[in-house]
Amino acid sequence: MVTLLIGAGLIILGIVVITHDRRTFLSGLLPFLGLLTWLTGLIPVWLASTLFVIVLPLGILGEVLTHDGYWLLSRYGTSAKGYFFLVGGFLVMVFAPLFPVLWLLWRSVLIVKLMLAIYGYVAVLIDAYLLATVINALPLTIKPTKILILGAGLIKGGVGPVLRRRLLGGLALYQCFPKAELIMSGGQGDDEPEPEAVAMHRFARQKGVPESAIRLETNSTNTATNLSEAKRFINSGDRVVLVTSDYHLLRSLLYARRQGVNCQGLVVHTPHFTFTCNAFIRELGAYTIIHRYLISLGLVLVIILCLI
């Protein structure tokens, strides 16, 4: 009974956070922990952990690592890094069915207990980040006055597949709200012949968008500066929709919140599963670096609890 009440409390708190401003990691963490708490009260802990903590993160991580190892070996030949990713990814996937065995037979062994706890902590971060991304990809509840499209690297000097999808998503929204302004945000990388925003502007003009509806931001060098530089085109009363790829959505919205840009996100799906998983892992890594002290503190607390 107590377990069910705790789970319900976490889910309700998560709903409050989502209602107030869903652009936070807590929008995924609180409901996920609540659901996991409920499940541990209804079914065996090892089964709940296997289904909702182990399988999904291991599937994503193992598949990405294995693919990256294969790609490195096929493109660059024999290398320690390639074999590390290939073998490591395979071992990670193999670990999934072994988890319930380890839990049932050797969970009292300290080294096994620590290994399961550390992995479980990492897996919860992955699952919560994914859930927060899904929640922030829910349908828009505002009518935009500004549509901010985030840039992506140019391919051979032109708009590549990822950027093209972002542009098509933003332009489709613009067709629904033709009074809104389009903000093209993207600077020039070392390997790019021109700023991304210039290529985005040209693409939009070719699709029939009038010049008066487009604003260019050409100074940014990363996601954080996308938002800080684009702020000069945004007024306090504007209703902003940020358009970016699915894997990139949550971190972009977190930066927007930090920069004081009140917005919602329009997600653009990436067609290639492996690329999306790879990019998602990189995004989570970037988020971890940003909050490295807080996440490290959480890991230390998990280890201490295992030792008690």
Side-chain angles (χ1 to χ4, degrees):
M1 185 63 180
V2 175
T3 302
L4 295 178
L5 289 175
I6 293 174
L10 287 169
I11 292 175
I12 292 171
L13 187 57
I15 293 173
V16 171
V17 169
I18 293 168
T19 303
H20 175 68
D21 189 344
R22 62 193 187 190
R23 300 173 302 164
T24 170
F25 178 69
L26 291 177
S27 67
L29 180 62
L30 291 172
F32 177 77
L33 290 178
L35 177 61
L36 190 61
T37 303
W38 263 359
L39 287 171
T40 56
L42 297 173
I43 61 178
V45 174
W46 67 267
L47 180 58
S49 301
T50 299
L51 291 177
F52 292 92
V53 179
I54 301 301
V55 174
L56 180 60
L58 278 179
I60 293 175
L61 188 60
E63 194 276 339
V64 168
L65 291 175
T66 303
H67 177 271
D68 284 356
Y70 174 79
W71 182 83
L72 286 169
L73 291 173
S74 61
R75 179 159 185 170
Y76 298 107
T78 302
S79 68
K81 185 177 181 180
Y83 282 115
F84 174 79
F85 280 115
L86 184 66
V87 176
F90 177 76
L91 292 176
V92 166
M93 287 189 288
V94 168
F95 181 78
L98 293 178
F99 181 86
V101 176
L102 291 171
W103 176 267
L104 288 172
L105 299 181
W106 296 294
R107 63 179 180 271
S108 60
V109 178
L110 182 59
I111 187 65
V112 175
K113 190 176 181 181
L114 283 173
M115 180 180 68
L116 296 177
I118 292 170
Y119 175 75
Y121 178 75
V122 174
V124 166
L125 291 179
I126 295 174
D127 284 340
Y129 193 90
L130 180 61
L131 180 57
T133 298
V134 172
I135 289 171
N136 277 278
L138 292 173
L140 301 173
T141 60
I142 61 173
K143 297 180 179 180
T145 58
K146 298 286 173 67
I147 301 171
L148 171 58
I149 305 176
L150 299 188
L154 301 181
I155 306 297
K156 297 181 180 179
V159 172
V162 173
L163 183 54
R164 178 182 176 85
R165 282 182 169 264
R166 294 183 187 182
L167 286 165
L168 291 176
L171 295 182
L173 183 62
Y174 171 75
Q175 294 299 323
C176 298
F177 302 98
K179 293 184 179 180
E181 286 187 342
L182 288 164
I183 304 174
M184 308 297 188
S185 178
Q188 183 175 359
D190 294 336
D191 58 345
E192 295 175 322
E194 62 183 356
E196 295 162 9
V198 173
M200 296 162 71
H201 169 267
R202 185 165 56 247
F203 184 95
R205 294 287 289 131
Q206 291 171 350
K207 296 295 183 181
V209 179
E211 182 71 36
S212 60
I214 304 174
R215 300 290 180 267
L216 297 187
E217 180 285 299
T218 59
N219 298 322
S220 58
T221 57
N222 52 40
T223 304
T225 54
N226 277 143
L227 276 303
S228 61
E229 292 290 336
K231 279 181 65 176
R232 68 177 185 271
F233 299 115
I234 299 172
N235 301 317
S236 58
D238 277 327
R239 300 181 298 275
V240 183
V241 171
L242 184 152
V243 183
T244 190
S245 305
D246 41 17
Y247 61 84
H248 189 235
L249 179 67
L250 182 58
R251 190 162 65 93
S252 302
L253 292 174
L254 293 174
Y255 276 124
R257 183 178 183 179
R258 180 176 292 184
Q259 296 285 351
V261 178
N262 188 19
C263 66
Q264 292 185 9
L266 176 66
V267 68
V268 178
H269 296 292
T270 309
H272 302 295
F273 176 74
T274 299
F275 175 83
T276 303
C277 290
N278 205 329
F280 175 79
I281 294 297
R282 292 200 306 269
E283 288 293 314
L284 181 58
Y287 176 82
T288 302
I289 292 172
I290 295 170
H291 298 282
R292 55 190 176 275
Y293 299 116
L294 185 60
I295 290 175
S296 298
L297 177 61
L299 181 58
V300 170
L301 291 176
V302 167
I303 293 174
I304 291 173
L305 289 174
C306 285
L307 297 176
I308 295 176

